[in-house]
Amino acid sequence: MQRMMIALLIAYAAGIVMGKLLLPVLHKLKFGQNIYELAPEAHKKKQGTPTMGGLVIAAAAIVATLVMNDYSGPLAANRAIAILIMALGNLCIGFADDMTKIRRGKNGGLTPKQKMFFQTILALAFSVYCYMHELVGSVIDVPFLHVKWDLGILYIPIMMFIIVGTTNSANLLDGLDGLLTSVSLVDFATLAVLAGVMGMTDIGVGCAALCGACMAFLAYNAYPAKMFMGDTGSMFIGGAVVAAAMLMGEPLILVLIAFWMLMSSLSVMIQVTYFKHTGGKRIFKMSPIHHHFELCGMHETKIVSMYMMTTIVLCVITVLGVL
Amino acid sequence: MQRMMIALLIAYAAGIVMGKLLLPVLHKLKFGQNIYELAPEAHKKKQGTPTMGGLVIAAAAIVATLVMNDYSGPLAANRAIAILIMALGNLCIGFADDMTKIRRGKNGGLTPKQKMFFQTILALAFSVYCYMHELVGSVIDVPFLHVKWDLGILYIPIMMFIIVGTTNSANLLDGLDGLLTSVSLVDFATLAVLAGVMGMTDIGVGCAALCGACMAFLAYNAYPAKMFMGDTGSMFIGGAVVAAAMLMGEPLILVLIAFWMLMSSLSVMIQVTYFKHTGGKRIFKMSPIHHHFELCGMHETKIVSMYMMTTIVLCVITVLGVL
């Protein structure tokens, strides 16, 4: 547990320093976010805020994990390293997407097909890794019921679906200043605590480092944001959350800890489906659902605090269900 | 630990419901906060926001603690009950202060003498209680050094000083939307975790309930605040924090977990002393120091997030120092 706490502190300190260093660079390179044309009116003033801040989160988490990691076992089986590699793979997809957006000057990004292709490859590779990992395998835990569920070879396609779903959902949740950062720092803290209690210190160190990195990034990302994480950051975070949960044999807790990520995706799906079937009617004022709350008159900061507090509640319930 | 987590959930649910019920009542009674005339210009718009929301925190914490408390030992020695009584005593002082302010229509409050008198009595009573408590006594722990320090009869005056200092400091920290609420929910979570690990489940239940109550209150108190906690709330929180730390035999951790409370007091003292000695010069643009940050151009929400994240860092250091 001590190792985990020190990892969090290192990541926090590294994140604060790296944010200070990266912010002027991003400004100079004019890596400003082009605000999605269909976003609520109030977001127009955010035009030009530097994006790709996710690099700060990634760098801080990597430094802290590498320093505090336990290298006693074989490196290929080290779950902290596995989380980082999976998260970095997703970061690359997000980074390509951010770059495309910046070059085109439109909030367009990679083509959906290209993005989906790379995501599927990555999801396949990581699912196979977990399936073959001595300490993971095809058996997952069902929280609350305290039963183990062997998915057999179906583990691979099911987890691929969960991976792609989670990373894209994290991407959708990243729509308000500090929103994804606040929610995921709670998620990583929960994953770290669970890993610590379950004796999986390697995963615990990785998650604690990720938590500290998000905490530091909030100094730049909290309302009013000086820096956005971009797809670079949201894909990195999504990848790390799903990787940690899978390596712990607890992918089902994502329904609770990643509740708002899930809701972001679901609200988009419901909105689109309803729109098509009714020939143009909307069920939410805007999707993902945080924009709906915003257009209902809730202040951006209030939504962030609501998402964060309800995530803490869901995380406490998760811990009750798992232990 | 389970008991603690359930206490947090009950307090959160109770707090959300009670906030919904109390808000219209406070509006009807016109219990609006009269904003301190010397506060930064931006605070003028807060005139009329209902205060005394601290009643929500208190009620939610009490309900959850009473439900989840372990009543096996003698009631007089129950530390969760002791925390609540101490916090409620301080709440009464704060409540009287709030009432005086509302009646006079000026941000005046109790006379400093009256307030000090009641605080001293309460501090004396609680210090003597701890001194005589079988599980507390006059020995305090020194974190990091892992030594015990027997203060003997000096325990009583020293603790009285710490109690009065902490409650008044909490009162000073309550100056921005959601500031004290965010900081103290982290403090209570830390105290709960420490108590849980040290096997003091009664204290743990009380602190977890207080944490859940603060989380719920944030739904009403986060920027832009619909409700302030008032002196009612800040004195309650200050009393609860210091009571929990003392009952755990860890009053020295207040330097870390209550860092921003301490800084609020110190910045006021430094400002006043400097002003007097230089014949009118100021060291901070305004004190307590959160108003200084505000006048330096930091947005209110940014200060809250900075205070909250640095408090988490200090709390992690605290846990490292105590365990």
Side-chain angles (χ1 to χ4, degrees):
Chain A
M1 286 291 213
Q2 254 193 339
R3 200 178 261 280
M4 283 163 47
M5 289 187 268
I6 296 169
L8 182 146
L9 298 177
I10 295 174
Y12 182 79
I16 293 288
V17 173
M18 286 168 189
K20 266 233 152 31
L21 297 176
L22 191 69
L23 192 54
V25 177
L26 291 177
H27 263 297
K28 213 172 163 187
L29 293 173
K30 296 218 166 75
F31 278 2
Q33 173 90 3
N34 286 293
I35 300 302
Y36 185 46
E37 281 163 11
L38 301 176
E41 200 54 37
H43 289 237
K44 293 277 149 72
K45 61 173 188 250
K46 300 186 179 185
Q47 180 76 30
T49 306
T51 186
M52 288 208 189
L55 295 173
V56 172
I57 305 176
I62 291 169
V63 167
T65 306
L66 293 183
V67 172
M68 295 310 297
N69 196 13
D70 176 2
Y71 295 98
S72 58
L75 207 60
N78 193 296
R79 289 171 289 186
I81 305 286
I83 293 172
L84 286 185
I85 291 176
M86 173 62 174
L88 279 174
N90 279 289
L91 178 141
C92 292
I93 298 172
F95 186 80
D97 213 358
D98 280 332
M99 283 306 285
T100 325
K101 280 182 208 168
I102 290 163
R103 288 221 198 88
R104 287 200 201 150
K106 291 262 175 195
N107 211 334
L110 281 176
T111 69
K113 262 192 190 168
Q114 293 167 327
K115 205 169 168 176
M116 206 46 180
F117 173 75
F118 290 117
Q119 287 193 317
T120 311
I121 296 292
L122 202 57
L124 175 65
F126 192 73
S127 301
V128 171
Y129 172 81
C130 288
Y131 183 76
M132 318 241 298
H133 195 295
E134 178 179 29
L135 299 169
V136 189
S138 61
V139 179
I140 63 171
D141 180 51
V142 184
F144 299 102
L145 305 180
H146 296 291
V147 291
K148 300 282 170 189
W149 193 7
D150 192 345
L151 298 174
I153 191 70
L154 281 179
Y155 179 86
I156 294 173
I158 293 173
M159 290 305 134
M160 283 173 69
F161 175 77
I162 292 179
I163 292 170
V164 175
T166 307
T167 49
N168 286 316
S169 302
N171 194 228
L172 286 172
L173 182 53
D174 179 36
L176 300 178
D177 290 6
L179 183 61
L180 180 57
T181 316
S182 303
V183 167
S184 43
L185 82 85
V186 175
D187 285 348
F188 288 128
T190 308
L191 288 163
V193 168
L194 282 178
V197 175
M198 292 161 112
M200 305 174 178
T201 336
D202 52 348
I203 300 179
V205 165
C207 293
L210 286 155
C211 176
C214 288
M215 283 169 55
F217 188 62
L218 208 54
Y220 306 98
N221 188 230
Y223 178 88
K226 283 183 195 154
M227 210 193 300
F228 295 137
M229 62 169 75
D231 293 344
T232 309
S234 58
M235 295 292 292
F236 177 82
I237 286 178
V241 169
V242 72
M246 280 173 64
L247 288 166
M248 288 166 67
E250 298 283 357
L252 296 183
I253 64 171
L254 289 168
V255 177
L256 291 169
I257 70 169
F259 175 79
W260 287 114
M261 297 184 190
L262 198 66
M263 283 304 117
S264 301
S265 284
L266 273 180
S267 59
V268 171
M269 288 178 210
I270 291 169
Q271 181 86 327
V272 172
T273 314
Y274 190 80
F275 190 88
K276 278 187 188 158
H277 282 266
T278 57
K281 282 192 186 167
R282 287 182 169 86
I283 202 160
F284 303 116
K285 293 188 178 169
M286 185 176 281
S287 69
I289 197 164
H290 50 260
H291 286 320
H292 172 78
F293 293 132
E294 211 181 351
L295 293 174
C296 287
M298 268 181 94
H299 193 281
E300 203 172 336
T301 52
K302 209 100 182 177
I303 301 168
V304 172
S305 128
M306 176 177 83
Y307 273 45
M308 189 180 187
M309 291 305 126
T310 45
T311 300
I312 298 180
V313 167
L314 292 168
C315 284
V316 170
I317 295 174
T318 304
V319 175
L320 279 172
V322 171
L323 301 183
Chain B
M1 286 290 212
Q2 254 193 340
R3 200 178 262 281
M4 283 163 48
M5 289 187 270
I6 296 170
L8 182 146
L9 298 177
I10 294 175
Y12 182 78
I16 294 288
V17 173
M18 284 167 189
K20 265 230 155 30
L21 297 177
L22 192 68
L23 192 54
V25 177
L26 292 177
H27 263 296
K28 215 172 159 187
L29 292 173
K30 298 219 164 76
F31 276 5
Q33 174 91 359
N34 287 293
I35 300 302
Y36 184 47
E37 281 163 11
L38 301 176
E41 200 55 38
H43 288 237
K44 293 277 150 71
K45 62 173 185 248
K46 299 185 180 185
Q47 180 76 30
T49 306
T51 185
M52 289 206 187
L55 294 174
V56 172
I57 305 177
I62 291 170
V63 167
T65 307
L66 292 184
V67 172
M68 295 311 297
N69 195 14
D70 177 3
Y71 295 98
S72 58
L75 207 60
N78 193 296
R79 289 172 289 187
I81 304 285
I83 294 171
L84 286 184
I85 290 175
M86 173 63 173
L88 279 174
N90 279 289
L91 178 141
C92 292
I93 298 172
F95 186 80
D97 213 357
D98 280 332
M99 284 306 286
T100 325
K101 281 182 207 167
I102 290 164
R103 289 222 197 86
R104 288 199 201 148
K106 290 263 177 194
N107 212 333
L110 281 176
T111 69
K113 262 192 189 168
Q114 292 166 329
K115 203 170 169 175
M116 205 46 177
F117 173 75
F118 290 117
Q119 287 193 317
T120 312
I121 296 292
L122 202 56
L124 175 65
F126 192 74
S127 302
V128 172
Y129 172 81
C130 289
Y131 183 76
M132 318 241 297
H133 196 295
E134 182 181 23
L135 301 168
V136 190
S138 62
V139 180
I140 63 170
D141 179 53
V142 185
F144 300 101
L145 306 180
H146 297 290
V147 290
K148 299 282 169 189
W149 195 6
D150 191 346
L151 298 175
I153 191 70
L154 281 179
Y155 179 86
I156 294 172
I158 293 173
M159 290 306 133
M160 284 175 68
F161 176 76
I162 292 179
I163 293 171
V164 175
T166 308
T167 49
N168 285 315
S169 301
N171 194 227
L172 285 172
L173 182 53
D174 179 37
L176 301 177
D177 290 4
L179 183 60
L180 179 57
T181 316
S182 304
V183 168
S184 43
L185 82 85
V186 175
D187 286 348
F188 288 128
T190 308
L191 288 163
V193 168
L194 282 177
V197 175
M198 292 162 113
M200 305 173 178
T201 336
D202 51 346
I203 300 179
V205 165
C207 293
L210 285 155
C211 176
C214 288
M215 283 170 54
F217 188 62
L218 208 55
Y220 305 99
N221 188 230
Y223 178 87
K226 284 183 195 154
M227 211 193 301
F228 296 137
M229 64 169 74
D231 293 344
T232 309
S234 59
M235 294 292 291
F236 177 83
I237 286 177
V241 169
V242 72
M246 280 173 64
L247 287 167
M248 288 167 66
E250 297 283 356
L252 296 182
I253 64 172
L254 289 168
V255 177
L256 290 170
I257 70 169
F259 176 80
W260 286 115
M261 297 184 190
L262 198 66
M263 283 304 118
S264 301
S265 283
L266 273 180
S267 59
V268 171
M269 288 178 210
I270 293 167
Q271 181 86 327
V272 172
T273 314
Y274 190 82
F275 191 89
K276 279 187 186 160
H277 281 266
T278 57
K281 281 192 187 167
R282 287 184 170 83
I283 202 160
F284 303 114
K285 292 189 180 170
M286 185 178 283
S287 69
I289 199 164
H290 49 260
H291 287 319
H292 172 79
F293 293 131
E294 210 180 351
L295 293 174
C296 287
M298 269 182 94
H299 193 281
E300 204 173 337
T301 53
K302 209 99 180 177
I303 301 168
V304 172
S305 126
M306 176 177 83
Y307 274 45
M308 190 180 185
M309 292 305 126
T310 45
T311 300
I312 298 180
V313 167
L314 292 168
C315 283
V316 170
I317 295 174
T318 304
V319 175
L320 280 171
V322 171
L323 300 183

